[in-house]
Structure formats: C-alpha cells, structure tokens
Amino acid sequence: HLSIRRQRQMCIRDSTTLSTALAANRGMKSALQFILAVPVGWGILLAICMAGVGNLVLAVPALRWLIVLSGTLYLLWMAQRLWRTHELNQVDTDRLNITFMQGVAVQFLNIKAWMLALSVVAGWVAGKPDTLARCLILLPVMMSFGLVSNLTYALMGSLLREWLAKGVRLIAFNRGMSLALVLTAYWMFKSSF
C-alpha cells in the first residue's frame, strides 16, 4: 500500500497539469474556475468518504472500474485537446475550456483521489472519539492544499505565457503537458488494479 503522502502526490498530478496548461494557454483569469473547482470537488469527495459512502467504491468492483475507466478516458480526451492547441489566447474557443462543474467532476473520476480520501478517513477520522472535530479540521486543511497547489502551478503556467508565445514553444509545451496527462492516465489505470 502506498503512503498517504505518495497517494496525495499521485492524485494531484492530473489537476496540477491541467491548471498549468490552462493558465499557460488561456491566462490566469480563465484558469481560475478550474483552480477553484479542484478544492471544491476534493472537499465534496472527502466529505462523502467521511460520511462512509466512499467504502462503496471499495465494495463494488464495477463502480471502481467505472471511476478508473471514466477518469482515464477524461484525461486522454483532455490530452488530445491540449495536443491540438497551437495558439495562445484561445479564451473564446472550447478547446481548452473546462467549466467549474467539470473541474469538480474530475476529482470524482480519479481513483487515486478516492483512495487518498479513504486512507485519510481511515487513518485520521474513523473510530476516533472526536470524529466531528477531526472532520471539521481536516476538510479545510485538505481543501486548502488543493487550492494552493493548483494555484501555484497555474501561476507558473501564466508566467510562461509570454515566453511560450515565441516560435514553436507553445506547441512543445502543450505536447509535453499532453504527454504528462497521457502518462498520468496510464499510470492511474495500470496502478489501480
């Protein structure tokens, strides 16, 4: 079994990759809805696991497969859209537009996020006499981590915008980020079972 720290690193990789790519291609303002959606989705997922519903994912193999397959397909879909993006300032196009609700939903399609949430709940919440107090502390801390990490990566992406506008740098960057999403999808799929 992976440590909680290692699971956290794996489950944020796809969100931070998307935050970086969105900010680099569309600007920080356009990436904000996704950046804000990540901690909201993660918070809802963690709260669901705190309420005990997350155990259903472990108990029903078909549900687990559905999450893994949906998450993998979503990352591959985003990777192909990113691969085909060749120009900055595509704010008016749909190619790299991720709505707030899609950003929230991405968290539910990541089996590693489910496993992290279940591990956190099992290790720090379940069976403790002060369960509610622990939930009320843990939830905002974990949501803050999601916000800060995605915001940091998006800031890096937005700082690269001017540099990426020259020559073929944007194409190389987008293809590199696209490959990172493909590798994350492969890793997520392969290591889930």
Side-chain angles (χ1 to χ4, degrees):
H1 292 293
L2 298 170
S3 71
I4 290 175
R5 181 178 178 194
R6 185 72 175 138
Q7 287 179 19
R8 184 180 69 217
Q9 290 171 342
M10 291 184 339
C11 85
I12 64 168
R13 181 168 289 137
D14 53 338
S15 294
T16 54
T17 301
L18 286 173
S19 292
T20 306
L22 286 169
N25 282 274
R26 297 173 55 94
M28 190 64 175
K29 186 176 179 182
S30 292
L32 273 178
Q33 69 179 349
F34 179 74
I35 294 164
L36 295 173
V38 170
V40 170
W42 169 237
I44 294 169
L45 175 64
L46 185 57
I48 286 171
C49 289
M50 288 175 175
V53 177
N55 290 325
L56 197 60
V57 174
L58 297 176
V60 181
L63 183 56
R64 184 180 166 122
W65 264 107
L66 180 66
I67 292 169
V68 170
L69 187 58
S70 299
T72 301
L73 292 174
Y74 183 78
L75 288 178
L76 293 174
W77 177 71
M78 283 307 300
Q80 68 86 19
R81 290 170 68 100
L82 186 57
W83 184 275
R84 295 178 14 213
T85 301
H86 303 289
E87 298 173 4
L88 290 176
N89 301 321
Q90 294 188 339
V91 177
D92 296 330
T93 67
D94 284 340
R95 180 152 298 160
L96 285 179
N97 187 30
I98 300 177
T99 67
F100 183 84
M101 292 310 295
Q102 287 173 323
V104 169
V106 165
Q107 307 317 302
F108 289 88
L109 298 178
N110 186 345
I111 195 65
K112 298 300 180 191
W114 281 97
M115 295 299 110
L116 174 60
L118 290 169
S119 296
V120 166
V121 169
W124 294 338
V125 176
K128 307 292 188 218
D130 56 346
T131 299
L132 182 58
R134 287 174 178 257
C135 290
L136 293 175
I137 292 169
L138 189 60
L139 193 57
V141 167
M142 296 301 280
M143 289 175 69
S144 296
F145 178 77
L147 176 65
V148 170
S149 63
N150 280 277
L151 187 58
T152 302
Y153 276 85
L155 284 171
M156 290 188 313
S158 69
L159 291 173
L160 289 173
R161 277 180 65 76
E162 190 175 318
W163 182 80
L164 290 172
K166 298 176 179 119
V168 296
R169 293 175 183 168
L170 180 68
I171 294 171
F173 173 81
N174 284 344
R175 294 208 170 153
M177 298 305 278
S178 178
L179 289 174
L181 287 174
V182 169
L183 290 173
T184 299
Y186 173 75
W187 181 26
M188 185 174 77
F189 186 82
K190 186 175 183 230
S191 64
S192 293
F193 299 98

